[in-house]
Amino acid sequence: MNALFEDAGKFLAGRVLSEAESSMQVELDSGKRVKVKAANVLLKFDKPAPAALIAEGQRLAEEIDLDLAWEFAPEGEFGFADLARDYFDAGAGLTHQAAALFRLFGAPHYFRRMGRGQFRKAPEEIVKAALLAIEKKAQLAAQIEGWAAELVAGQCPQPVRDQLYKILFKPDKNAPEYKAVVDAAKKAQRAPLDLLVAAGAIDSPYQFHWRRFLFEQFPKGTNFPASLVAPEIRDELPLAAGVRAFSIDDSATTEIDDALSVQGLGSGTIVFGVHIAAPALAIQPDSAVDKVARERFSTVYMPGWKLTMLPDEVVQSYTLQEGRDCPAVSLYVTMDEATLEVKSTETKLERVPIVANLRHDKLDAVVTEAALSGEAPADFDFAPELAFGWRLARHLKAQREVVRGKPENFNRPDYNFRLVDADGQSPVAPPEGRETVLISERRRGAPLDTIVAEAMILANNTWGGWLAELGVPGIYRSQASMAPGVKVRMSTKALPHAGMGVAHYTWATSPLRRYVDLVNQWQIIACARHGRTAALAAHFKPKDTALFAIISGFDAAYSAYNGFQNGIERYWTLRWLQQNGVTELDCAAMKDGLVRADTLPLVLRAVGADGLPRGARVRVRLGEPDLLTLEIGGSVIARLDDPTRADDDAALEDEAEEGAEAAATGLALAIDVADADAPAAADGGAPAA
């Protein structure tokens, strides 16, 4: 005797080996033996053979017209054998009964399952809705197949082009556009990105990187609300007496956050001023401007362009523009001119005369260490003030290095990127990616850089300690130690920053371009206004959950922006190689087969670099750069010298360049061609028709 039974939604048949009251042992054609509950057995028969019954039943099931079967099926509950007799003839045999069972079971939109081999007609409106859904599904499947065929043929359907970045980086794996790309990639046996490039979906590598960034970080676009205006500062601020402040920035800088002043030269007592633009005097928490700033969290920088945190009209209302008396939060540090011992500090809310906006690119070549130390002529404005600032900066840096335990290592340069069009002009709109790129070195630790950096560290350290002293919460940056793997983190606690060599450190000196600085400025202003009672008046109270949300959002945005900046600078570096026909570079060996170029901001993987001592000097022959994946390979063709001595600072700097190293590994996509794979059929199974 044989038996036909249901197992997990599939129909199987085999020879009955033994039978008990509630179960039986059945041997399938594959030889596998299974225990079957009696309740799951639907037919018992001697002939035909089990496999023949299933095969013939499935063939006949395809011939059953579901509309006709539904029309003639009984209104109440019925069995599959009943339908077989109604549909075929009164003497419907085993194969016809099996056919009716398979067809009924496979059409839940027509017939509802009511139990062991029992069914009931679905209501007419349910049937119509189900048929409409099935038709839509069939049309969608045909659409997916058509799009896939176009992609394989080298053409990109517009719906796929419109969803390109979503498909590659944030896919909805049920979307037809995604399924079409996956299906086409499998049929063409090509990687999805290669397939899309060949189909013309990506016409510009630069635009691909730019639009991907906008898709991920600015899905609503980069325009500011048209109604956004800069609120006025209504405070009656006193004018800073005797102050002649000057800023130091690049010529392209429009968000001038900070300026310096020096009073009392030659008197024995110096008052060193750090003056920070004060948008927090006007912008209120939860106001329209604040919401825009909090949504962006920071200005985004890239070669030839930037996306500012605030609209330019708002920035220009508070920027420290020369020739104006600008509202500012000022830190005054009074110190002994000879020993530089700090005697007192004071924070004021005031209007500061900004006498000049000095520019790095115009002064770096003349404001040298020799000129500042008196060994060479100092033929530039603010020479005495800058000379004192340089002396103070070296003193502050030396103090930090004592705490830090080792000197800061500036053995690698920063790089300036300048884009120019065919007429040699800088872009006035977002770059297109075809501009000529000029890359120049800017040595870290240059005098003007050091003066500004140490002044900002002084202010951020002083204000961080002041907030903590008054019990006013702020957002701090800290680093527990300089051990490998210990990273800088943000929190609301005034903890030491080992890498900086300070006891506490906030970000409060760039409120026009970083949201954290704006938040901290609100808190500092409360301290300046209320002193010991500031904790009661400050907008953010101790353990305020809003601060933790700001830290989380800022960390995510800042990391994404820095990642984009690293990637797009890598793009322009590869473009520079192409534009200048560079095929070889001198490099220093890093770890894991990576090398760093000596004169470009470029890290790449080079064959032959594995096993080289860290810092070994090598000549590398370059492969062809891929501007889309930002990959470039190379091979070591010569060893230039003996390995240089490794040091811990270099290790830490490498850790800080994770973005650059990650770029050397290529583009990470979220699309998975395996999504198109179907599960394999189980042993001995025959799905219901």
Side-chain angles (χ1 to χ4, degrees), residues 14-35:
R15 183 167 64 91
V16 177
L17 299 176
S18 63
E19 184 174 4
E21 182 177 347
S22 60
S23 65
M24 59 176 62
Q25 287 283 338
V26 178
E27 183 180 53
L28 303 178
D29 283 349
S30 64
K32 181 179 180 181
R33 296 185 179 187
V34 295
K35 183 178 181 180

Side-chain angles (χ1 to χ4, degrees), residues 492-683:
T492 59
K493 296 181 179 180
L495 299 173
H497 193 307
M500 302 285 293
V502 294
H504 26 65
Y505 188 71
T506 62
W507 264 351
T509 54
S510 297
L512 293 175
R513 46 200 169 107
R514 279 193 311 235
Y515 188 70
V516 165
D517 300 56
L518 180 63
V519 168
N520 281 330
Q521 191 175 83
W522 280 321
Q523 303 298 87
I524 292 167
I525 287 172
C527 293
R529 285 173 171 166
H530 302 282
R532 290 292 173 186
T533 61
L536 300 175
H539 178 74
F540 297 99
K541 303 298 189 287
K543 298 183 180 180
D544 195 326
T545 56
L547 284 177
F548 297 105
I550 290 168
I551 289 172
S552 176
F554 180 86
D555 266 341
Y558 207 63
S559 175
Y561 296 171
N562 283 338
F564 170 69
Q565 183 178 355
N566 287 338
I568 213 66
E569 287 183 357
R570 186 177 179 87
Y571 168 87
W572 286 114
T573 302
L574 298 183
R575 279 281 291 167
W576 186 91
L577 294 175
Q578 289 182 331
Q579 291 171 357
N580 293 278
V582 175
T583 58
E584 294 181 3
L585 288 174
D586 291 346
C587 303
M590 296 172 63
K591 57 185 178 181
D592 302 328
L594 296 173
V595 296
R596 179 189 291 112
D598 287 350
T599 57
L600 290 172
L602 181 64
V603 171
L604 67 148
R605 195 170 301 282
V607 176
D610 281 312
L612 285 177
R614 181 183 180 80
R617 314 284 307 124
V618 292
R619 172 70 56 84
V620 173
R621 178 172 292 128
L622 302 174
E624 187 65 28
D626 187 326
L627 298 181
L628 190 61
T629 64
L630 301 181
E631 291 179 292
I632 184 171
S635 57
V636 175
I637 58 174
R639 178 74 177 273
L640 302 179
D641 64 3
D642 292 331
T644 59
R645 181 176 61 84
D647 78 26
D648 294 337
D649 276 334
L652 286 172
E653 289 184 23
D654 284 343
E655 186 175 315
E657 289 193 354
E658 288 177 356
E661 294 182 16
T665 64
L667 190 67
L669 305 179
I671 189 170
D672 186 359
V673 176
D675 289 334
D677 292 342
D683 173 46

Side-chain angles (χ1 to χ4, degrees), residues 264 266-270 335-341 343 388 391 395:
S267 70
T269 299
I270 298 293
M335 60 188 70
D336 184 277
E337 186 172 11
T339 65
L340 301 180
E341 178 186 357
K343 296 180 178 179
F388 176 81
R391 179 178 161 229
H395 172 73

Side-chain angles (χ1 to χ4, degrees), residues 238-245 259-263 270-276 326 328-335 342-353 458-459 462-463:
L239 182 66
V243 171
R244 297 177 68 252
L260 305 176
S261 66
V262 181
Q263 300 176 73
I270 298 293
V271 179
F272 183 72
V274 180
H275 312 283
I276 306 301
C326 298
V329 178
S330 297
L331 172 67
Y332 290 103
V333 182
T334 302
M335 60 188 70
V342 174
K343 296 180 178 179
S344 65
T345 62
E346 183 180 12
T347 297
K348 294 183 179 181
L349 309 180
E350 59 186 2
R351 289 180 295 119
V352 175
L458 174 63
T462 302
W463 279 331

